[in-house]
Amino acid sequence: MQKLIHELTNILDAQYILLEDQDKAPYLTDWRKRFTGKALAVVLPCNSAEVAQIVKLCSEFRVAIVPQGGNTGFCGGATPDNTGTQIILNLKRMNQIREIDTLNQTITLEAGCILQTVQEKTSEHGFLFPLSLGAEGSCMIGGNLATNAGGTNVLRYGNTRDLCLGLEVVTAQGEIWNGIKGLRKDNTGYDLRDLFIGSEGTLGIITAAVMKLYPLPISQWTTLVGCESIAATIALLNLFQKRATSLLTGFEMMTRESLELTEKHFPRLANPLKGNPPFTVLIELSDHESEEHVRQLLETILEEAFENRIISDAVIANNLSQANAFWQMREHITLAQAEEGANLKHDITIPLSTLDSFIQKTDQLMRCKFPGIRIINFGHLGDGNLHYNIAPPLGSDPKQFNENHEKEIHDLIYSQVERCKGSISAEHGIGQLKLAGLRSHKGEVAHNLMLTIKKALDPHNILNPHKVVSI
Ligand SMILES: Cc1cc2nc3c(=O)[nH]c(=O)nc-3n(C[C@H](O)[C@H](O)[C@H](O)COP(=O)(O)OP(=O)(O)OC[C@H]3O[C@@H](n4cnc5c(N)ncnc54)[C@H](O)[C@@H]3O)c2cc1C
């Protein structure tokens, strides 16, 4: 391995090849602190040519590479294994915006750009880059593409996949595929772009992308609404979809238990709705017409919802800081869970038509089997995406509880997901966390096709091995 390290110094300045334990440490553990690995080195290239040379070299030496962006992923995809033979290739130095094309309404940018920076830069040009998620201050576009991240705007603008028009990718052979095109139509055979998006670094290393931009809305109104049942929250969603149509840009659900946990760790973010109702929904409308237009529309829909007894309470944010506080309540649930200690996460999607049945049945089974557990259930309800997370009973040791019950809890919840024809990963991906369950969830045919693709594109299995699929 000394020879490989030596040859790396022909590609990168020594300061960008981290070899000492204390320098590598920040890159070795995932955000949730569930996985820690070892690495031969952490390398920090600054352009696509350097990435290509590194991959070529690693391919020759048959050394595995773990691509890494902001390291905020929830499935351990960016964490190396324990052998100490893998190289982490972190893209943070590749953070240039190559072009903002205002006519084509696109941005061309490198994989290491931080999501929040992209939002800010595009907004300076009068455009909206709609991808938005709790980790936006640290996650990177390459990571967002590699995980096909979702977030809070999927309802209106789609996943990261839907926002991407073109990619530049370094293949497992160390070639650069230049698919940097800002085309909204391009039916020229197999869609390579779609193959790399969501592949979690197992098929290629994304080095740059062309992403769609949208006009900035003139006005946004945010409201918090209380519902007594999950069926009522779905009826409310359908009402908003019917009346507000494309103006509906956010529809997030939070259960009472989720907001109790947030308040415990962040008291300033207590639910302003009276009595913290069983289900609180955060709704956002965005309009390109006028403030009055959207405010009036929002009030009319809420009135109808009150009249039809779909909602029991509502607070409309009167200014930007109140709207931000509502969003923070939602985004701090994940942070409150991290403060509370280890928990078991389930990022799932269920069709809206069976969501009520899923929650009722799963809640009942879980509470009966594990008395005292706390079900921290919240999520992007507009997409049928729940974060159905389990915290141990108060007073019990989270690590011990998880060790004893993790498999049983996952099996129970995922069997209900299958019953309701849902997915075991809505937006967080597979990584190493859900590797074992993928085969049975996808079925033999789909799983074998995935293996065939992996073997064809990465025959020496050097790109993020044992993540997503294991060959
Ligand atoms: C507080 C918080 C809130 C979150 N909310 C959401 C949410 O609402 N929706 C959501 O979808 N996710 C959410 N996440 C998860 C996470 O932020 C996303 O998965 C994000 O897209 C990961 O980006 P990253 O740059 O941190 O990638 P990393 O964690 O560094 O990597 C993730 C995966 O992508 C691969 N990868 C990274 N960069 C590249 C590249 N350039 N080329 C090829 N492969 C690469 C890695 O190998 C790994 O498999 C949240 C995380 C946190 C901490």
Side-chain angles (χ1 to χ4, degrees), residues 30-32 65-79 89-91 111-113 115 131-136 138-152 154 159-160 169 196 199-208 252 330-331 334-335 347 380 385 387 426-429 431-432 464 467-468:
D30 73 316
W31 189 89
R32 289 179 64 202
I65 299 172
V66 180
Q68 191 179 78
N71 199 17
T72 66
F74 278 153
C75 296
T79 310
L89 189 151
N90 185 295
L91 289 118
C113 289
L115 175 55
L131 183 64
S132 175
L133 45 115
E136 60 201 22
S138 8
C139 65
M140 296 173 191
I141 291 296
N144 301 145
L145 284 158
T147 56
N148 185 25
T152 52
V154 174
N159 298 301
T160 309
V169 176
F196 290 113
S199 67
E200 300 181 53
T202 62
L203 299 181
I205 300 181
I206 297 167
T207 46
E252 300 286 312
R330 162 65 183 84
E331 275 152 12
T334 308
L335 305 179
D347 161 46
H380 316 294
N385 178 187
H387 298 310
E427 58 177 8
H428 295 162
Q432 48 184 306
N464 223 0
K467 313 279 172 57
V468 186

Side-chain angles (χ1 to χ4, degrees), residues 9 37 39 47 98 138 173 236 311 314 368 404 433 471:
T9 59
N47 58 45
R98 293 185 185 167
S138 8
Q173 292 70 34
L236 185 66
I311 62 176
C368 177
N404 294 345
L433 181 71
I471 58 172

